[in-house]
Amino acid sequence: MVRNALLSLLTCVHLTSFGQINNLNHADNYETVPYGSLGSVEKIGNGKQPMILIAGWGFDGNIFRPLTDSQQHEYTMYVVTLPGFGNTKAPPMPENNTSYSDLYWTNGIIQALKGLIQREQMNRPILMSYFTYSNVIALRIALDYPELIDKVVILSGMARFMANYPSYEPTSLQSRIYYTEQVLAQKWFKTVSKETWDQGNFTPVGFSKDTLTAQKYWNQMSSVPIPIMVRYLLEYYCTDLSLEYEKLKVPTLVVMPQFTQEVFKEPGNAYWSTFFHHSWWGAKPANSNFHLITISDSHAMILEDQPDKLLDVINLFASGKLSPYDLKR
């Protein structure tokens, strides 16, 4: 998530890039994969319960390594890297008149995951997302195809786009789509430079308590070509699954990092809480299938900072033994 898109739009002038950069299309020499492809799928483990692990915005399947290394006898895991992340190739861009609200790439991924479930003959897998955007895919499948899956686990997800500037928060999905397509896409992301993009992206400190680990994840995210990040981001901005919470029929665990005070020492870092905590307000009251739990002393990459706590929660939830009163670890 580019944290300061709105502020940058209001305060920055980037005339040097205008007319020279078009981040809404791939570079001329970029090689794509067929629409509806996944970036990569790695099958790990031989446990009875199938599980699909979907890495989030900017990351590859290695972010699940603490889970896949330790749980191979508990689950059969399909580790998914989305197309364009982790040195994989992205799909073609849609036609120029295609609305971001059509979720062109997102729907292609959903169909690919349905195909994976069918080809591997999975019996009601657990879907797990990690970091932003991939939670939209997991919840969309849960809402539209509840008969296909058993449970959903969301690690460090963001329920919906929040502007982080309340006076500019879109008041409806329709206004959010208009703001995304007419303002963010055309007047900011289309011509934003790499330097400005990186300056406005998530700060490293929020990824992990360990400085080197945090920088590793930031570097991986930053290495993805901007057109790929922008396409996913703009489709994500055009969703608001909170409008459909009451329809959810699948038990869903939302695991939130608490974040230490180290994160908030840096000016402007309150967005970590806004995105990863506040965006979930209203989920539990709307539907008892939601279970929200916070992992203390952790940043966004919870599997790095608190693997034992998190794995215990995941295993209890998967087995149906997680207490509804278990709200913090």
Side-chain angles (χ1 to χ4, degrees):
M1 203 64 49
V2 174
R3 55 190 170 95
N4 288 329
L6 179 59
L7 182 62
S8 299
L9 178 63
L10 296 174
T11 61
C12 294
V13 177
H14 51 284
L15 296 177
T16 56
S17 63
F18 185 79
Q20 300 174 10
I21 299 174
N22 184 358
N23 294 315
L24 304 184
N25 290 318
H26 289 306
D28 290 341
N29 59 349
Y30 186 82
E31 295 182 9
T32 61
V33 295
Y35 177 75
S37 301
L38 296 172
S40 67
V41 179
E42 183 181 8
K43 185 177 180 180
I44 302 174
N46 55 9
K48 181 178 179 181
Q49 173 64 56
M51 181 180 283
I52 299 176
L53 312 177
I54 313 169
W57 192 64
F59 297 113
D60 62 30
N62 286 317
I63 61 173
F64 290 104
R65 195 59 62 189
L67 171 65
T68 57
D69 284 349
S70 64
Q71 304 296 307
Q72 295 183 23
H73 298 300
E74 299 294 329
Y75 309 104
T76 297
M77 295 166 282
Y78 298 82
V79 186
V80 175
T81 298
L82 298 181
F85 299 154
N87 295 317
T88 66
K89 296 298 184 181
M93 295 291 182
E95 297 295 329
N96 289 334
N97 61 351
T98 301
S99 169
Y100 292 103
S101 63
D102 291 341
L103 308 181
Y104 181 74
W105 277 13
T106 302
N107 288 329
I109 291 167
I110 289 171
Q111 294 307 311
L113 289 170
K114 283 181 59 186
L116 176 64
I117 293 172
Q118 293 165 356
R119 286 194 308 275
E120 293 293 323
Q121 299 181 335
M122 297 184 215
N123 182 22
R124 294 174 60 81
I126 294 173
L127 297 186
M128 183 182 300
S129 68
Y130 200 177
F131 204 61
T132 62
Y133 177 72
S134 56
N135 61 276
V136 168
I137 294 171
L139 280 176
R140 187 75 266 161
I141 293 174
L143 286 164
D144 293 346
Y145 310 102
E147 71 282 358
L148 292 182
I149 61 174
D150 182 42
K151 296 179 177 71
V152 172
V153 178
I154 294 170
L155 309 180
S156 297
M158 181 177 166
R160 61 186 177 90
F161 164 56
M162 299 185 73
N164 202 30
Y165 304 100
S167 60
Y168 293 99
E169 180 72 26
T171 57
S172 66
L173 180 57
Q174 183 178 6
S175 62
R176 177 178 290 115
I177 292 170
Y178 178 86
Y179 168 70
T180 298
E181 297 195 330
Q182 302 302 319
V183 181
L184 283 182
Q186 298 299 327
K187 300 183 183 298
W188 178 238
F189 289 133
K190 182 176 182 177
T191 56
V192 69
S193 68
K194 171 64 173 171
E195 179 182 6
T196 304
W197 173 273
D198 283 345
Q199 290 174 350
N201 210 338
F202 287 107
T203 48
V205 68
F207 287 120
S208 174
K209 296 189 304 173
D210 180 77
T211 302
L212 293 178
T213 300
Q215 190 63 47
K216 177 187 73 172
Y217 283 112
W218 189 91
N219 289 344
Q220 182 179 156
M221 172 179 283
S222 179
S223 70
V224 179
I226 292 179
I228 296 171
M229 297 293 272
V230 164
R231 181 74 213 183
Y232 280 120
L233 186 64
L234 293 175
E235 290 194 14
Y236 185 53
Y237 279 176
C238 288
T239 66
D240 186 356
L241 296 184
S242 68
L243 300 174
E244 301 179 67
Y245 281 163
E246 62 183 21
K247 302 177 184 177
L248 185 68
K249 299 177 181 179
V250 177
T252 298
L253 175 67
V254 178
V255 185
M256 300 175 290
Q258 184 181 30
F259 295 114
T260 66
Q261 287 305 307
E262 191 67 27
V263 174
F264 305 111
K265 286 181 180 178
E266 295 187 16
N269 269 2
Y271 69 88
W272 283 102
S273 182
T274 301
F275 290 172
F276 295 93
H277 295 162
H278 302 173
S279 70
W280 291 103
W281 287 356
K284 181 65 175 179
N287 195 319
S288 61
N289 280 314
F290 279 107
H291 187 139
L292 277 62
I293 190 168
T294 302
I295 304 297
S296 60
D297 201 29
S298 68
H299 294 184
M301 293 300 158
I302 309 174
L303 273 171
E304 292 281 359
D305 289 344
Q306 296 294 342
D308 293 340
K309 288 182 182 179
L310 180 55
L311 291 174
D312 184 50
V313 167
I314 290 171
N315 288 332
L316 286 172
F317 179 72
S319 63
K321 298 177 181 178
L322 184 63
S323 169
Y325 303 104
D326 197 347
L327 304 178
K328 187 173 182 179
R329 288 294 182 101

